[in-house]
Amino acid sequence: EAGVAQSPRYKIIEKRQSVAFWCNPISGHATLYWYQQILGQGPKLLIQFQNNGVVDDSQLPKDRFSAERLKGVDSTLKIQPAKLEDSAVYLCASSPGDSPYGYTFGSGTRLTVV
Amino acid sequence: AQSVTQPDIHITVSEGASLELRCNYSYGATPYLFWYVQSPGQGLQLLLKYFSGDTLVQGIKGFEAEFKRSQSSFNLRKPSVHWSDAAEYFCAVGARNNNDMRFGAGTRLTVKP
């Protein structure tokens, strides 16, 4: 089966600019997650979707971050405006939803804010 | 909320030597426990997981981990390390009533020839 696809792989932007990341989960996976991984740290959950509804966005900085999952398939994570501290790898993961934590991670998007 | 501590930021072992990576968790009940590996520029790959039952869990690539409730630990072991095992290793703990998984800060493994 195809894995979790993410694009772009790398992105460099200036602070105060906006950026968007795209994730295509494994076909049929109901649950989708966005994680932020700052250099030297473990991944931190930003938002969890179940189909096209938000399950948990308690750690999403909503003043600048937004995410959507239209039609319960692809998802987009946006940052507007970006800050220097947003430099990180943004990982998308998906799971079938019928087994606890059956995550599959994508390769991530590395964002550098200068 | 649950949390994970990986006490070792960086470990260096010689190829062929044994390996143990430490993981301690904090959670009020029996958690779900995981070990992931991340190679440079790659996503996270699941090595093994513990949900219940036998406390010694076998994973991929020759890794195993042992859940010790009394010590709140879930240490990862491998009897003989290969150069290709050099990577970042993350321990994670999940709650049993939701899909909230928390990761440790990771341990970077260097393998000497």
Side-chain angles (χ1 to χ4, degrees), chain A:
Chain A
E1 80 186 345
V4 176
Q6 290 188 248
S7 67
R9 286 300 307 273
Y10 306 95
K11 190 74 176 179
I12 301 174
I13 62 172
E14 295 183 349
K15 59 184 179 184
R16 291 187 288 276
Q17 285 187 323
S18 63
V19 64
F21 313 126
W22 174 81
C23 173
N24 182 244
I26 291 174
S27 178
H29 278 196
T31 310
L32 185 147
Y33 312 81
W34 283 102
Y35 280 82
Q36 179 193 56
Q37 186 178 15
I38 294 173
L39 186 65
Q41 299 181 19
K44 182 185 83 171
L45 179 67
L46 292 176
I47 189 167
Q48 176 188 343
F49 291 95
Q50 180 76 17
N51 296 309
N52 60 350
V54 175
V55 174
D56 181 0
D57 64 356
S58 58
Q59 299 187 83
L60 187 74
K62 299 181 187 63
D63 59 333
R64 298 183 300 107
F65 285 64
S66 64
E68 60 182 9
R69 189 182 185 197
L70 299 177
K71 301 181 181 179
V73 182
D74 295 8
S75 177
T76 302
L77 177 69
K78 297 180 181 177
I79 308 175
Q80 183 179 8
K83 293 184 175 181
L84 296 177
E85 58 262 36
D86 298 332
S87 294
V89 175
Y90 291 85
L91 294 164
C92 180
S94 69
S95 71
D98 58 351
S99 168
Y101 301 102
Y103 286 38
T104 300
F105 281 89
S107 297
T109 295
R110 181 177 297 278
L111 173 67
T112 302
V113 183
V114 298

